[in-house]
Amino acid sequence: MEPTDKALSGEPPSSAAIAGAPPAPRKGDLTQGPIARGLLVFTLPMLGANLLQSLNGTANAAWVSHILGPAALTATANANNILFLLLGAVFGLAMAANLLIAQAVGAGSTAEIKRVAGASTLFFALLSLAVGLAGLALTPAILAAMGTPADARADAITYLRVIFAALPFMYFFSFAMMAMRGTGDSRTPFYFSLAAVGLDIVLNPVLILGLGPAPTLGIGGSAAATLISQTIALAGMIVFLYRTGSPLVLRRGEWGLLRPDPAILKTLVFKGLPMAMHMLVVSGAAVVMLAFVNAYGSQTAAAYAAAMQVWTYVQMPAMALGAAVSSMAAQNVGAGRMDRVEAVARTGVLFAIIMTALPIALIYLAEPLILRIFLPEGSGTIPIARHINAIVLWGFVPFGVAFIFAGVVRATGAVIAPLLAMVVSLWVVRIPFAQLLTPMLGADAIWWSFPLGSVTTMVLAGGYYVWGGWRRSTLSPPPRGDVPGPALAPARGSD
């Protein structure tokens, strides 16, 4: 029996319920109210968190480039591609937990929220430790397989090994933020991201240069700053959740939920792994593309690394909107509001087009100034980076639209089709195009493959949204013995 189900608990119905009026919205409730405003308000803190992470990467890249040189920047670019691949894997699994929590919130089931949180916490703790330890041992082999330039490999090994030591804290921090967003709270994760990024930016020059009593760690100092900042922010977030009585934390009498739950683990694996594979497909393709770029030498690789720093800002709105529409759609699926799910998709596409095109236009206008943040003035790498951006940047508009379609359909548990769309666009279209046309176009074959892949993704994702069977998918069956809640009720009228 759920405590929110008054009909089963014997509590008298409220006067509003007797009158047939809609229930008062709960905190974090994304199933009521104007969709455009709700989506924007929910997205903005997530966009802010993404912006902070990008600013963090920008600041780190600037410190490394200007203090340690282009080879060190190439080293961090190679190592960070591995990090993004690993974070992409945990993103998919955390997203599965996020959607389970969001559907439980939409159905008004606190017990189900705690059940998901307990099983997921154990799962992520064991996973993060395993990946961190394996990465420490395999770092040299990973970078060698990527074809990391010889003049950057030693720095890349140092940097990546410290990052692997930080990975368990980064994994768990990502999981905690996704879980909180599933409850409808995107502001609190933003505040803790702000704290983590601020601390990271401050510690970078201190540990790289050995300012004050700090040791001089060089490029390892940049990675150590990430380790320290993520650990402190995670500890603060856990304390905050306990002090505010969040349904995500387990009290002494609930510690029995901190155990493997077959139904939850099945969903995390069978729904989370395809989403993790989606990010791995993207990150893996990025690693392959970087290997193509590395063949042109450190100067082109440094220009590409600077361009990628710019691209992170262009992708941020779409990524924030994609995560927001997933959480918002999942709550509405849990509440039986498929009418609102469709409206969330339409609104998300419109927002994605506007919010992606705007930063692209601003970057084109101020590009020389922006690139000097990452590359020394007068460097021969700046014209290369400008040429790359001229070809690639506009392709992030269809990328943003595809991200919205994928985010909405995943909210129902349809995770295979978005994965297949990404596999086709990257591994059947982008990578072969870049490889096969290089003899004819040179490095331009690499740059043109980016917008070509993005357009392919949009066409495939949009086609599945319109004609696919995602509306009949389910994320997870209710636990045995539970009484069906609002998720199985007929949809109410549109707001």
Side-chain angles (χ1 to χ4, degrees):
M1 180 183 69
E2 300 297 347
T4 54
D5 194 331
K6 292 187 176 183
L8 294 175
S9 66
E11 296 181 30
S14 65
S15 58
I18 294 173
R26 302 181 302 271
K27 183 178 180 181
D29 188 358
L30 303 175
T31 65
Q32 301 182 53
I35 288 174
R37 180 182 180 278
L39 181 59
L40 187 61
V41 169
F42 189 65
T43 300
L44 286 178
M46 299 173 67
L47 178 58
N50 288 350
L51 176 61
L52 289 172
Q53 292 297 328
S54 296
L55 288 172
N56 188 27
T58 297
N60 293 356
W63 281 115
V64 169
S65 174
H66 290 286
I67 296 175
L68 302 175
L73 179 61
T74 300
T76 60
N78 278 259
N80 282 334
N81 268 280
I82 300 299
L83 174 62
F84 296 151
L85 188 151
L86 295 170
L87 291 178
V90 79
F91 172 84
L93 298 171
M95 193 66 192
N98 166 282
L99 296 177
L100 284 171
I101 291 169
Q103 287 195 6
V105 170
S109 175
T110 301
E112 181 67 3
I113 295 172
K114 288 185 174 291
R115 177 170 165 261
V116 173
S120 300
T121 295
L122 179 64
F123 178 83
F124 276 92
L126 296 176
L127 176 68
S128 62
L129 288 173
V131 174
L133 291 173
L136 285 171
L138 297 175
T139 291
I142 293 170
L143 292 170
M146 287 177 60
T148 303
D151 58 349
R153 190 168 299 179
D155 279 346
I157 290 173
T158 300
Y159 183 88
L160 188 56
R161 276 187 165 151
V162 181
I163 287 295
F164 271 120
L167 199 66
F169 305 99
M170 299 174 76
Y171 265 22
F172 215 82
F173 189 59
S174 177
F175 161 64
M177 289 197 299
M178 293 291 284
M180 294 180 73
R181 289 167 181 163
T183 66
D185 180 8
S186 60
R187 292 184 182 181
T188 302
F190 167 74
Y191 296 139
F192 281 99
S193 292
L194 177 62
V197 168
L199 187 58
D200 197 347
I201 290 174
V202 170
L203 288 177
N204 250 271
V206 171
L207 296 178
I208 290 174
L209 296 170
L211 301 179
T216 303
L217 300 178
I219 196 169
S222 181
T226 299
L227 169 61
I228 295 170
S229 61
Q230 290 283 318
T231 303
I232 293 175
L234 174 61
M237 181 179 287
I238 292 172
V239 170
F240 173 84
L241 290 174
Y242 270 98
R243 301 192 102 182
T244 56
S246 170
L248 295 173
V249 298
L250 304 178
R251 305 289 173 177
R252 180 173 299 179
E254 300 165 336
W255 287 350
L257 295 173
L258 196 66
R259 69 180 190 278
D261 185 304
I264 300 298
L265 294 181
K266 181 179 179 181
T267 299
L268 290 177
V269 172
F270 288 100
K271 300 297 184 180
L273 281 182
M275 289 189 282
M277 285 300 299
H278 180 104
M279 301 304 293
L280 287 172
V281 164
V282 173
S283 300
V287 170
V288 173
M289 299 302 286
L290 183 58
F292 290 166
V293 174
N294 284 337
Y296 288 88
S298 291
Q299 192 172 52
T300 299
Y304 180 65
M308 286 195 298
Q309 287 291 330
V310 174
W311 299 348
T312 59
Y313 292 94
V314 176
Q315 296 177 77
M316 280 190 304
M319 296 181 71
L321 281 165
V325 297
S326 286
S327 296
M328 193 172 192
Q331 281 202 18
N332 282 280
V333 168
R337 299 298 310 271
M338 289 304 295
D339 56 316
R340 284 178 62 89
V341 172
E342 301 271 2
V344 166
R346 293 191 297 270
T347 306
V349 166
L350 178 61
F351 281 177
I353 293 172
I354 295 171
M355 296 172 69
T356 305
L358 182 59
I360 289 175
L362 293 175
I363 288 168
Y364 277 137
L365 289 173
E367 190 175 27
L369 181 62
I370 292 171
L371 289 175
R372 289 193 195 103
I373 298 173
F374 312 105
L375 300 168
E377 187 173 359
S379 168
T381 55
I382 291 180
I384 300 173
R386 294 192 66 182
H387 177 69
I388 294 171
N389 282 336
I391 297 173
V392 173
L393 274 179
W394 67 270
F396 286 105
V397 174
F399 163 86
V401 173
F403 223 77
I404 300 302
F405 287 137
V408 171
V409 302
R410 286 194 195 105
T412 64
V415 296
I416 300 299
L419 171 62
L420 293 178
M422 192 59 66
V423 169
V424 170
S425 63
L426 296 183
W427 292 89
V428 178
V429 176
R430 177 182 290 177
I431 290 175
F433 181 91
Q435 188 173 29
L436 295 176
L437 292 186
T438 291
M440 182 186 304
L441 300 177
D444 279 358
I446 300 173
W447 319 140
W448 278 110
S449 71
F450 281 92
L452 179 61
S454 295
V455 171
T456 304
T457 307
M458 181 185 69
V459 171
L460 294 176
Y464 181 72
Y465 173 81
V466 175
W467 294 294
W470 61 274
R471 296 166 183 83
R472 297 185 298 274
S473 298
T474 57
L475 186 62
S476 177
R480 186 175 300 174
D482 272 17
V483 178
L488 303 180
R492 299 188 295 271
S494 177
D495 290 309

